[in-house]
Amino acid sequence: MKKIMLGNEAIARGAWEAGVNFASAYPGTPSTEVMENLKKYKELYVEWAPNEKVSLEACLGASLSGNRSICSMKHVGLNVAADVLQTLTYTGVNAGLVIVVADDPGMHSSQNEQDTRYFAKMSRAIVLEPSDSQEAKELTKWAFEVSEETDLPVIIRSTTRLSHSSSIVELQDRVEAPKKSLEKNPEKYIVLPANARKLRVNLDNKVKKALSLFESTSFNKIEGDGATGVIACGVAYEHAREAFKYASFLKLSTTYPLPKSLISEFVVRFDRVYVIEEPDPFIADEIRAMNLGVEVIGKEVFEPSLEMSPDLIRKTLFNVEAPKYDLPVLPRPPLLCAGCPHRGVYYALNQIRLKKKDLYITSDIGCYSLGALKPLGATDTTVCMGASLGMAAGLAQNLKSDDGIKVVATLGDSTFTHSGLPGIAELAYNKAPVLAIILDNRTTAMTGHQGNPMSGIRARGDEVEPIRIKKVLKGLGINHIKVVDPIDFKKLQKTIEKMLKLNEPCVIISKKPCVLVERAQNVKYFVDEEKCKGCKVCLNVACPAMSFDKDAKKVKIRADLCYGCGLCVDACLHSAISQL
Amino acid sequence: MDKIDFLFVGVGGQGVLTASRLISHVGFKSGYDVKLTEVHGMAQRGGSVESAVRLAKKVHSPLLSKGDVDFLVSFECLEAARYLEYLKPDGKLLVSDEMLSPLPVISGKAEYPADIMDKIREIGFDFELINASKLAKDLGNPKTINIIMMGLLSKYLDISQEVWIESIKEFLPEKLHEINIKAFMLGRQVS
Ligand SMILES: Cc1ncc(C[n+]2csc(CCOP(=O)(O)OP(=O)(O)O)c2C)c(N)n1
Ligand code: SF4
Ligand code: SF4
């Protein structure tokens, strides 16, 4: 049977067909749908882990128990899991272990553009790169065998355009993997230096074994007999097929370790080869280092930060310009939903700033990152998950004598359990005078509303007791904790002002469900045209339900979009907004 | 046609992805190779959303090339302008006449360019502009704009009505079949 499948869905299907028994992930665009699709299969255990490191460790545990396991994450998730990966290649696995890592060239929804293959090279983990959904399924299936044969973890390296494109896939049945027995092998799994040295020697042998598989696999293939030589991998291969009309292609599906004999066999046929890959010239640099006497043109000639595409190839290599029209197009950035509970917090903080109170507000990664956009423009930093707390600690310690500026950290509930706990310990232990505000909207909203330990909702929808956040904070040594509903932002504002005076580590839990999870409010607000002076001050709350009617010179609220949070009522200086 | 490229654009929440998934299903049932790309993540919080569908005997890249797209279907006027450079000079532009305010307008910093469709015509593009939001409201479900637009699109494709109706049935939950088939037929009859 054939079906149209999203790249991530096909990866999940491949794992299922390979008889995977255990899946653990932390969400992150563009990887999230791997787990969302694995959840649809009943034969395996699935879970959301608190972060990527834990999910990879859980997979290693599952592998030792004798079960095939898979975890998935976005590229920056591998930074969190890197500590595990760098030694996991030494220990190796028992049952096959596959790590799906989705890179985001062009940064559609990420803070950076790191190329996962450098991590793989550093740790000597295997990398397979599919170019469409069919291959995503096939390579994932094969990855479990490769992992078992080589005693290495295998990374399925995807990119946004593979993960979020759909194409036709031929479905097959699940084959239960033969159950392996629980492995107890101290020389392999206890990496004390004496063992680690032996494992390090063996690591090179394992990579050699992988290499011999990859020199002969039919997943790497030479196609066409044109006069131009093109080497490509991943979805960039498909772009190359489209942009180079008359060429010979070497399509690589195994990008670490690289099948160097196959590559030289292909490359020496030409004076010059093009290597089409993204985001970095990883393969191109490796080929240059092989010194084959052939010119290698790679990603370095493309403008950085742009996603690879047939258009980009034509523009960069063949000087073909795409059409451009001069139209008055306004940007349409994403913004916080009408009634979003995060808006109340940033609005309250801005109100405090208006009273000439100098605040430095660190933020984190989640829907609330959008609080940085004007006109809210409330936050000063967003770096990586959990950074709001560590950075706030450093800021506060250094600003101490410099009174006046108060440091506030804002982070979401999922971010808190992902990497916020050590940050809280830092505040308490080192007595950093920071006010941390946990934006507890009872979900991991940005990535599509997954449950997390703070909400207690698990991957298959069942619920457990959520983390008792007040107890946790107290236990970590925070003495001032308040829980506030951000819809009552006057109370919130007062609480913030009080806490800021303490000059001690303190935490406010702003507790209100995301409007897409729980549509509790149903009152509507409207603007009284008589009273509205058209001053636009209320538009500073940046609510998508509100807009300025330029003919009437009044603000309007669209009743179908208004959630009824009431924030705009306070923002209006002329009492023009009230309940419908 | 040996290849047909579609670009569906609009604002998060308008059902752009449902539309593109439906046409890829229709293409698949009609024997084409299919590729579809969609944008997830940040763009869904009311941001600009695009989804491309490519049908051909064999499709390589899921990405469209500028100036080469056969059908640009926009659920919103400003978005039609944003993606216009993808359309072939003789391609078809289908637009629902919704005007949704982007952030600069919401925050009072800019005005919505209300004459945007005239500007598009001045460049020389021919388009069909329909009042899909009103049609959808009259039908009793404002969320059917996307399917009304698909009905409109279907007029230009050599694919039988049966395949469309079957696909809608296979693709949408049963309780939505009747309203969406009505919406589809409504769009197909707009002139
Ligand atoms: C290391 C890492 N893993 C995953 C992500 C993807 N990611 C971005 S925001 C987010 C969730 C944030 O959830 P929460 O903190 O609860 O905020 P909300 O979106 O609900 O407001 C995740 C998982 C990331 N950016 N970095
Ligand atoms: S999805 Fe939820 S948390 Fe995200 S912007 Fe909307 S209301 Fe806020
Ligand atoms: S009450 Fe005001 S701020 Fe809240 S959703 Fe409605 S229009 Fe937006």
Side-chain angles (χ1 to χ4, degrees):
Chain A
M1 202 182 87
K2 287 185 174 177
K3 200 181 161 212
I4 300 179
M5 280 189 158
L6 194 65
N8 282 343
E9 188 183 0
I11 291 172
R13 176 77 191 195
W16 177 80
E17 287 181 5
V20 74
N21 291 302
F22 182 92
S24 180
Y26 183 72
T29 314
S31 70
T32 312
E33 301 77 14
V34 173
M35 188 64 177
E36 299 284 12
N37 280 286
L38 280 165
K39 272 163 50 181
K40 295 180 183 157
Y41 301 110
K42 298 283 169 279
E43 293 89 343
L44 61 150
Y45 170 89
V46 296
E47 65 170 32
W48 290 121
N51 70 27
E52 294 86 353
K53 180 174 189 290
V54 176
S55 79
L56 183 51
E57 289 157 348
C59 282
L60 178 54
S63 166
L64 292 193
S65 84
N67 278 335
R68 286 186 168 181
S69 61
I70 188 168
C71 65
S72 76
M73 59 194 69
K74 70 182 291 167
H75 60 335
V76 289
L78 191 56
N79 298 338
V80 180
D83 204 10
V84 194
L85 181 71
Q86 303 299 333
T87 306
L88 172 51
T89 48
Y90 282 50
T91 67
V93 301
N94 179 21
L97 191 161
V98 172
I99 309 166
V100 182
V101 187
D103 288 6
D104 190 12
M107 296 167 279
H108 292 275
S109 43
S110 307
Q111 66 265 40
N112 75 22
E113 205 184 40
Q114 67 190 53
D115 191 321
T116 290
R117 298 172 299 179
Y118 294 113
F119 257 138
K121 188 180 176 188
M122 182 170 24
S123 65
R124 297 178 176 76
I126 287 169
V127 183
L128 305 181
E129 287 193 60
S131 68
D132 65 8
S133 297
Q134 175 68 36
E135 211 178 46
K137 195 201 78 167
E138 295 306 325
L139 283 177
T140 308
K141 233 171 137 170
W142 187 50
F144 287 94
E145 288 170 35
V146 173
S147 171
E148 283 163 11
E149 225 164 295
T150 60
D151 194 18
L152 284 167
V154 177
I155 294 174
I156 294 288
R157 191 251 186 174
S158 179
T159 54
T160 301
R161 222 31 97 167
L162 174 78
S163 282
H164 288 172
S165 290
S166 303
S167 56
I168 300 170
V169 176
E170 173 91 49
L171 305 181
Q172 281 153 316
D173 290 332
R174 176 177 168 96
V175 179
E176 291 299 333
K179 168 98 178 132
K180 297 199 165 199
S181 49
L182 169 71
E183 188 165 344
K184 262 196 168 192
N185 184 350
E187 286 182 14
K188 194 162 181 271
Y189 296 108
I190 299 178
V191 289
L192 287 172
N195 290 338
R197 279 182 212 110
K198 286 186 209 138
L199 293 168
R200 172 65 190 84
V201 173
N202 192 36
L203 181 53
D204 286 353
N205 296 331
K206 298 198 286 187
V207 173
K208 269 191 205 126
K209 192 158 185 190
L211 193 57
S212 71
L213 284 176
F214 296 168
E215 289 288 3
S216 60
T217 176
S218 59
F219 284 114
N220 296 322
K221 48 183 178 263
I222 295 177
E223 297 168 326
D225 50 11
T228 310
V230 179
I231 299 176
C233 63
V235 74
Y237 158 76
E238 305 288 353
H239 304 328
R241 281 298 301 257
E242 188 125 347
F244 290 90
K245 288 285 181 221
Y246 308 100
S248 300
F249 293 92
L250 169 58
K251 194 256 182 229
L252 290 175
S253 299
T254 63
T255 53
Y256 188 83
L258 279 171
K260 292 195 173 160
S261 308
L262 180 68
I263 290 174
S264 28
E265 185 194 316
F266 179 78
V267 169
V268 294
R269 284 165 46 188
F270 309 93
D271 299 329
R272 164 203 280 180
V273 289
Y274 295 92
V275 183
I276 307 299
E277 60 185 324
E278 60 184 341
D280 286 349
F282 176 81
I283 299 175
D285 286 345
E286 295 280 318
I287 299 177
R288 280 187 201 105
M290 285 161 68
N291 274 324
L292 298 168
V294 173
E295 187 189 4
V296 179
I297 298 181
K299 185 65 201 308
E300 67 287 340
V301 305
F302 291 79
E303 198 179 320
S305 93
L306 299 179
E307 187 188 16
M308 189 58 78
S309 68
D311 272 348
L312 189 69
I313 297 172
R314 286 187 205 107
K315 179 175 177 219
T316 312
L317 300 179
F318 316 140
N319 281 317
V320 178
E321 282 291 339
K324 250 201 162 85
Y325 307 115
D326 189 22
L327 286 166
V329 178
L330 298 169
R332 192 187 295 276
L335 66 175
L336 295 173
C337 301
C340 174
H342 300 329
R343 182 178 281 109
V345 174
Y346 290 125
Y347 181 74
L349 288 165
N350 276 344
Q351 293 304 104
I352 294 169
R353 273 181 172 146
L354 283 177
K355 294 187 185 167
K356 299 244 177 315
K357 181 117 217 134
D358 215 353
L359 301 180
Y360 198 98
I361 304 176
T362 61
S363 184
D364 228 295
I365 307 214
C367 278
Y368 52 90
S369 300
L370 299 173
L373 300 187
K374 293 223 151 42
L376 269 176
T379 61
D380 295 299
T381 68
T382 293
V383 178
C384 63
M385 285 186 80
S388 60
L389 293 168
M391 287 176 69
L395 279 155
Q397 299 290 17
N398 287 283
L399 292 171
K400 256 181 192 165
S401 52
D402 215 343
D403 55 3
I405 305 180
K406 295 280 181 182
V407 184
V408 180
T410 54
L411 70 164
D413 49 341
S414 187
T415 302
F416 175 75
T417 43
H418 175 280
S419 45
L421 285 160
I424 295 286
E426 156 82 358
L427 299 188
Y429 175 53
N430 290 316
K431 297 188 183 308
V434 168
L435 165 60
I437 306 181
I438 300 174
L439 306 162
D440 183 5
N441 60 354
R442 318 302 291 156
T443 187
T444 315
M446 180 87 263
T447 48
H449 303 93
Q450 293 78 20
N452 63 50
M454 288 269 286
S455 71
I457 300 166
R458 305 204 308 157
R460 290 211 191 269
D462 57 318
E463 291 188 40
V464 295
E465 178 81 17
I467 281 190
R468 302 213 190 146
I469 180 70
K470 275 180 90 167
K471 279 197 171 163
V472 169
L473 293 168
K474 261 214 182 92
L476 285 168
I478 300 289
N479 297 323
H480 311 280
I481 306 160
K482 284 270 183 286
V483 182
V484 188
D485 181 342
I487 225 119
D488 189 353
F489 59 90
K490 287 228 163 97
K491 182 171 165 205
L492 176 65
Q493 192 179 322
K494 275 204 195 104
T495 313
I496 296 172
E497 283 171 321
K498 254 193 227 151
M499 290 266 199
L500 286 175
K501 285 197 191 113
L502 292 173
N503 244 350
E504 271 184 65
C506 43
V507 177
I508 294 174
I509 300 149
S510 161
K511 195 163 178 170
K512 178 101 198 158
C514 158
V515 301
L516 299 186
V517 167
E518 198 175 306
R519 254 201 107 79
Q521 225 79 8
N522 38 34
V523 292
K524 302 279 175 197
Y525 285 77
F526 79 107
V527 180
D528 184 338
E529 292 222 355
E530 306 274 288
K531 292 184 185 162
C532 177
K533 303 260 189 290
C535 68
K536 304 188 196 173
V537 167
C538 61
L539 295 179
N540 284 328
V541 306
C543 172
M546 304 171 74
S547 62
F548 190 68
D549 181 336
K550 70 175 192 311
D551 300 322
K553 299 222 165 13
K554 309 277 170 191
V555 167
K556 289 241 155 68
I557 292 176
R558 271 184 62 172
D560 58 333
L561 299 180
C562 172
Y563 170 83
C565 69
L567 200 59
C568 52
V569 178
D570 185 75
C572 173
L573 304 174
H574 308 284
S575 312
I577 304 178
S578 46
Q579 248 184 52
L580 201 62
Chain B
M1 270 192 262
D2 52 339
K3 75 107 189 156
I4 319 176
D5 287 343
F6 304 86
L7 179 56
F8 298 89
V9 301
V11 176
Q14 281 193 309
V16 170
L17 297 187
T18 309
S20 66
R21 286 178 192 165
L22 178 63
I23 181 85
S24 55
H25 197 73
V26 168
F28 173 55
K29 280 178 79 87
S30 312
Y32 285 102
D33 188 18
V34 179
K35 277 197 178 151
L36 171 154
T37 81
E38 44 194 70
V39 179
H40 293 222
M42 283 297 230
Q44 283 176 323
R45 304 281 169 274
S48 164
V49 175
E50 58 176 305
S51 181
V53 177
R54 311 193 68 196
L55 305 180
K57 222 173 130 214
K58 168 77 191 153
V59 183
H60 278 293
S61 174
L63 290 175
L64 301 168
S65 296
K66 287 184 177 161
D68 200 32
V69 167
D70 303 273
F71 295 95
L72 173 58
V73 182
S74 181
F75 298 178
E76 205 275 345
C77 294
L78 194 59
E79 295 310 309
R82 188 185 316 282
Y83 293 97
L84 191 65
E85 52 203 36
Y86 277 92
L87 194 60
K88 285 205 292 216
D90 59 343
K92 197 90 213 152
L93 172 59
L94 307 174
V95 188
S96 153
D97 68 353
E98 284 251 86
M99 292 191 180
L100 301 176
S101 303
L103 185 61
V105 177
I106 288 168
S107 57
K109 302 285 181 287
E111 282 179 15
Y112 193 105
D115 59 347
I116 192 78
M117 292 314 296
D118 297 331
K119 294 237 159 73
I120 289 177
R121 181 168 284 128
E122 279 164 27
I123 294 176
F125 281 98
D126 189 23
F127 54 81
E128 214 172 321
L129 180 69
I130 69 165
N131 194 340
S133 55
K134 175 157 189 315
L135 291 174
K137 232 178 245 156
D138 293 349
L139 202 63
N141 185 343
K143 290 223 159 119
T144 54
I145 294 182
N146 56 352
I147 305 297
I148 293 175
M149 293 302 288
M150 297 306 276
L152 180 66
L153 172 65
S154 75
K155 292 201 298 184
Y156 299 98
L157 298 173
D158 189 18
I159 291 172
S160 75
Q161 186 169 313
E162 285 69 47
V163 173
W164 280 99
I165 305 281
E166 260 173 52
S167 298
I168 291 173
K169 284 187 180 160
E170 285 167 15
F171 194 70
L172 297 170
E174 196 171 339
K175 60 177 198 293
L176 297 176
H177 286 177
E178 202 189 319
I179 184 92
N180 279 293
I181 290 170
K182 268 192 201 157
F184 177 79
M185 293 311 292
L186 193 64
R188 203 168 159 87
Q189 280 143 22
V190 171
S191 52

